[in-house]
Amino acid sequence: MKRFQFLWIISILSIPVLGIASNPQKTAQKVLHKLYMANGNFQRKIPTIELINQQQNIAVYIKKKNLIQLEIKAFQLCSSFGKDSLDALAFILSHELVHAIQPSNNVDETSFISYHKSFKSSLEIERNADIQGIFISYLAGYKTIHMLPEIIERMYTIYQLKDKIIKGYPTELERKTAAEIVISQANKLIELFELANELHAISQFQYAIQCLEYISKYYHGKEIYNNLGINYLLLGINIPSKQLESFVYSIELDFNIRIKKPKPARGDDYIDPLEILEQQQHFRKAKDYFQKAKKLDPQYYHADLNQFSTYIMLNEISNAQQYYNDHLKLIKSKDVNFTDKLLLTKGILSAKTTHKQEAITIWTSLLNSKDLILRSQAKQNLISINVLTSLKNTHEQNNCQDFIPIDINDAKLNIQSTPTEEWIQMDTSFQLRKKQLMNSTLYSFVEDGFMHLNIHRINLNSNPKINTKDKTFISFGNKLRIMNCPNENTAYIVNEQELVKYILRYYMFLSPNP
């Protein structure tokens, strides 16, 4: 048996190194750069990678040098995963990257496999590095989470640590037991991140915030902070029962509901001061989160744009103008979509500072934007200042049943199956109940014992192709887009080939239900 194991190790070492045998360091540095950019914390410089010919730690982060030493044998271990080699390498490197960017990291050197401190005292630190590392890998597009048990298995075999008890090294059983906890928690963060995106796309901002704030307890990244800010901003702008803001902002995916609210009449029309207070609180929370995102990455211009919008919504016009002059005026972005969003928002500032003609010029130019939502937003803003009088051809809510060729029976929940149930405590009052059925997942948001929202994520037996032309689809990550149909309380998630991947059905309870 030992002889077979030895031959298996030799065969692994003979595998071409991730397809780039001539320059493994360049490959590793490229993977690390992708992870570093996905995390977006640029307060600390990206570590340098050095490949070393040792067999002791797999990988080490040396704080003083800001250096990750990656052992050649560890690199070859990753190569043994063939087409999944980069995914395996991403897990090792992301683990050490977490140590590099953690502000609380007071350890001079960290080791991927051995612990310089006693095992029990450093287990939590290493486990958190695993969880955050997997989440960063996910954001960077690497599929590492399901590989973790096999990585540990091969790691202990190749490094000849199987069935051994060595001081400073956790046993294979200890590492695998820790991995089970890591996989469970990392899966939870990934699932909540995707659920937050879905909730945002169907305008359930309060519940998207719950998911993102839960993630922020474990992972601090600019994308999480920026998304929190956006959801707080949209939650605030939609709170008042009357339409207090007549202009449409670039962050609004579906402005129909807000625009259709009654406007305050002149005179004694009552505006609830508690609604205004709550709105202002949400706006200020949004501003705090955008500032956190900018602190991690000073060049994060999307957070600048969102902060600019926040000042305008707070009616801090002079601050908005100053922020535009200091942070946005000279940006020359190659991202046309970002440039158009900036123009749309600048038009709102112009309209609110009596530069009406400038606003008209900006919004008229955006009527030719390639983005359907931006065109609709520009039209609505021109309507708001009485330049356009007709709502014809403006952004309308999608009517799914007009063009979705899906048999209703194909999307039914299998309620006959026995569900598995899990509860996640989001905060002191909010809970998320997850029921896993045969072909769907049911999420229920519960506050203080009362159910407020159900959302079904329904898999299909087939993936029908639909025509997406002139329909409002929102980018959804992982090369997916989502189309919300609020009239049917349904949303469709579509891939690049215009195939429906899965369906969301949601239901809000208007009054507390147990």
Side-chain angles (χ1 to χ4, degrees):
M1 179 66 184
K2 287 185 177 180
R3 180 176 178 273
F4 174 79
Q5 190 179 84
F6 175 76
L7 290 174
W8 182 73
I9 293 171
I10 293 297
S11 68
I12 287 177
L13 297 183
S14 65
I15 293 174
V17 182
L18 296 169
I20 312 178
S22 60
N23 202 334
Q25 183 170 342
K26 184 178 180 180
T27 300
Q29 197 73 51
K30 186 176 180 179
V31 170
L32 181 65
H33 182 265
K34 192 173 180 181
L35 295 166
Y36 181 74
M37 297 302 292
N39 174 253
N41 183 350
F42 303 148
Q43 290 178 303
R44 287 168 172 76
K45 291 183 178 180
I46 184 171
T48 303
I49 292 180
E50 178 186 19
L51 265 72
I52 59 173
N53 191 20
Q54 291 184 9
Q55 187 178 337
Q56 184 178 358
N57 297 298
I58 291 187
V60 173
Y61 173 66
I62 303 173
K63 185 177 182 180
K64 187 177 181 179
K65 298 180 179 180
N66 194 29
L67 174 71
I68 295 175
Q69 289 185 333
L70 178 66
E71 294 175 359
I72 293 174
K73 181 164 283 192
F75 195 89
Q76 293 168 330
L77 182 158
C78 295
S79 295
S80 70
F81 284 91
K83 64 181 178 62
D84 298 321
S85 299
L86 295 179
D87 297 312
L89 181 61
F91 172 64
I92 294 173
L93 294 179
S94 63
H95 177 102
E96 298 306 323
L97 177 62
V98 170
H99 286 310
I101 61 180
Q102 280 176 335
S104 59
N105 179 17
N106 296 318
V107 182
D108 292 333
E109 292 186 13
T110 63
S111 171
F112 185 86
I113 195 171
S114 66
Y115 303 141
H116 297 300
K117 296 181 179 180
S118 68
F119 173 59
K120 289 184 179 179
S121 66
S122 60
L123 175 59
E124 185 176 356
I125 294 172
E126 297 302 315
R127 185 186 293 160
N128 286 338
D130 279 347
I131 293 169
Q132 294 180 56
I134 288 174
F135 191 72
I136 292 172
S137 297
Y138 159 78
L139 292 178
Y142 294 110
K143 300 175 182 179
T144 63
I145 190 165
H146 301 299
M147 301 174 65
L148 189 52
E150 184 63 23
I151 291 173
I152 293 171
E153 178 79 25
R154 296 191 191 185
M155 180 172 70
Y156 274 75
T157 299
I158 293 174
Y159 276 72
Q160 300 178 21
L161 295 171
K162 270 187 172 293
D163 305 319
K164 292 182 178 179
I165 299 177
I166 304 173
K167 185 178 181 180
Y169 288 80
T171 65
E172 183 180 12
L173 178 60
E174 287 171 325
R175 191 81 184 204
K176 284 184 174 180
T177 301
E180 291 177 4
I181 299 172
V182 165
I183 291 170
S184 174
Q185 188 60 44
N187 261 327
K188 195 177 295 181
L189 297 186
I190 291 169
E191 185 172 21
L192 289 177
F193 181 77
E194 293 177 350
L195 182 59
N197 287 338
E198 293 167 351
L199 289 162
H200 174 79
I202 62 173
S203 301
Q204 298 297 328
F205 310 118
Q206 180 179 1
Y207 304 105
I209 287 168
Q210 289 293 325
C211 294
L212 293 168
E213 288 194 331
Y214 182 92
I215 294 170
S216 70
K217 297 173 187 175
Y218 297 87
Y219 171 79
H220 307 134
K222 69 177 184 182
E223 185 171 357
I224 302 300
Y225 290 144
N226 187 61
N227 288 357
L228 271 165
I230 289 173
N231 280 286
Y232 267 112
L233 213 54
L234 290 171
L235 180 61
I237 202 173
N238 283 282
I239 273 181
S241 53
K242 292 183 172 65
Q243 185 197 140
L244 304 183
E245 174 61 76
S246 59
F247 297 117
V248 173
Y249 289 78
S250 63
I251 58 171
E252 295 186 78
L253 304 180
D254 189 347
F255 51 80
N256 285 279
I257 295 175
R258 182 174 68 81
I259 293 300
K260 289 176 182 177
K261 289 180 181 179
K263 295 181 180 179
R266 290 184 179 180
D268 60 352
D269 198 46
Y270 179 74
I271 301 174
D272 189 340
L274 292 179
E275 286 186 340
I276 301 301
L277 178 61
E278 187 177 2
Q279 182 185 65
Q280 298 291 302
Q281 288 174 339
H282 290 321
F283 287 167
R284 295 191 188 284
K285 266 213 163 187
K287 188 165 69 170
D288 289 342
Y289 277 120
F290 295 139
Q291 287 172 348
K292 284 185 177 182
K294 279 289 292 181
K295 187 176 180 181
L296 295 179
D297 178 6
Q299 302 301 313
Y300 193 24
Y301 299 133
H302 287 278
D304 275 321
L305 173 58
N306 296 331
Q307 187 77 294
F308 178 43
S309 298
T310 307
Y311 279 122
I312 298 174
M313 289 184 196
L314 284 166
N315 206 32
E316 297 178 5
I317 302 303
S318 60
N319 287 339
Q321 186 64 63
Q322 188 65 47
Y323 198 87
Y324 176 79
N325 292 338
D326 292 346
H327 300 281
L328 291 161
K329 189 174 183 178
L330 300 178
I331 292 177
K332 303 294 182 183
S333 176
K334 295 180 180 179
D335 184 346
V336 175
N337 188 260
F338 171 82
T339 302
D340 285 351
K341 286 182 177 182
L342 177 56
L343 276 173
L344 184 93
T345 313
K346 178 60 170 66
I348 297 174
L349 179 62
S350 299
K352 290 197 173 193
T353 53
T354 68
H355 294 87
K356 183 177 177 180
Q357 189 55 51
E358 183 179 50
I360 292 172
T361 301
I362 289 172
W363 292 332
T364 302
S365 70
L366 291 175
L367 296 178
N368 297 317
S369 172
K370 292 182 179 180
D371 189 298
L372 175 62
I373 294 178
L374 273 167
R375 291 202 306 270
S376 301
Q377 290 166 337
K379 279 184 180 179
Q380 182 57 50
N381 286 342
L382 287 168
I383 290 168
S384 296
I385 56 175
N386 300 317
V387 173
L388 294 180
T389 58
S390 173
L391 286 172
K392 188 177 179 180
N393 295 325
T394 58
H395 172 53
E396 298 292 342
Q397 292 181 346
N398 291 309
N399 188 336
C400 301
Q401 300 306 319
D402 288 347
F403 63 96
I404 298 289
I406 295 177
D407 185 347
I408 192 68
N409 294 319
D410 195 33
K412 279 186 177 178
L413 294 175
N414 191 331
I415 58 176
Q416 302 300 321
S417 62
T418 303
T420 60
E421 186 171 296
E422 177 186 359
W423 287 84
I424 302 173
Q425 191 70 42
M426 308 296 282
D427 62 19
T428 54
S429 59
F430 257 105
Q431 290 177 300
L432 175 63
R433 183 182 69 183
K434 172 188 172 185
K435 278 190 175 182
Q436 187 65 56
L437 302 171
M438 184 176 291
N439 66 335
S440 68
T441 307
L442 171 63
Y443 299 97
S444 301
F445 284 86
V446 179
E447 183 178 16
D448 295 327
F450 296 105
M451 191 178 296
H452 291 264
L453 170 70
N454 276 343
I455 178 168
H456 291 153
R457 184 185 290 154
I458 307 169
N459 299 319
L460 301 177
N461 295 326
S462 59
N463 300 114
K465 185 178 178 67
I466 66 173
N467 179 14
T468 63
K469 186 179 180 182
D470 296 327
K471 303 299 178 185
T472 306
F473 281 83
I474 301 158
S475 179
F476 195 54
N478 296 324
K479 299 181 179 179
L480 296 176
R481 293 177 295 162
I482 186 169
M483 182 187 66
N484 186 29
C485 308
N487 291 334
E488 290 87 20
N489 287 347
T490 304
Y492 292 83
I493 287 75
V494 178
N495 66 10
E496 287 182 311
Q497 290 74 44
E498 297 188 332
L499 299 178
V500 180
K501 299 298 291 180
Y502 60 93
I503 297 173
L504 298 176
R505 285 185 178 158
Y506 49 95
Y507 180 74
M508 286 289 298
F509 296 98
L510 298 180
S511 58
N513 284 277

